[in-house]
Amino acid sequence: MTPKEKAEELVDKFSDAINYCSQQEVKQCALIAVDEIIKFSIPLKCTVNEDVYWQEVKQEIEKL
């Protein structure tokens, strides 16, 4: 799955789960989730590719 597809999937999932929120609020929730993934992947020593992938997902969410 491309970073853009993952970004869209996350925003869609949060949109379905959170009623009565604006698109901007939904994007903020998705960004928080990605930040947590990035934060906790560092101690787990994920590969550089995984870190780059999640950084790209974050950028794609911001573009939506």
Side-chain angles (χ1 to χ4, degrees), residues 15-29:
S15 185
D16 290 343
I18 304 171
N19 294 325
Y20 310 111
C21 287
S22 69
Q23 181 71 6
Q24 188 60 37
E25 291 169 317
V26 169
K27 285 173 48 176
Q28 194 61 36
C29 290

Side-chain angles (χ1 to χ4, degrees), residues 1-9 53-54 56-57 60:
M1 180 176 285
T2 69
K4 182 175 182 170
E5 291 169 337
K6 180 53 99 176
E8 291 170 346
E9 177 189 46
Y53 175 78
W54 287 108
E56 290 175 1
V57 169
E60 292 295 335

Side-chain angles (χ1 to χ4, degrees), residues 28-60:
Q28 194 61 36
C29 290
L31 286 169
I32 290 168
V34 171
D35 282 339
E36 289 297 304
I37 291 167
I38 292 167
K39 182 170 88 176
F40 287 104
S41 68
I42 293 168
L44 298 175
K45 304 208 188 311
C46 292
T47 67
V48 172
N49 288 342
E50 290 173 84
D51 186 49
V52 169
Y53 175 78
W54 287 108
Q55 292 293 342
E56 290 175 1
V57 169
K58 185 175 178 179
Q59 291 172 354
E60 292 295 335

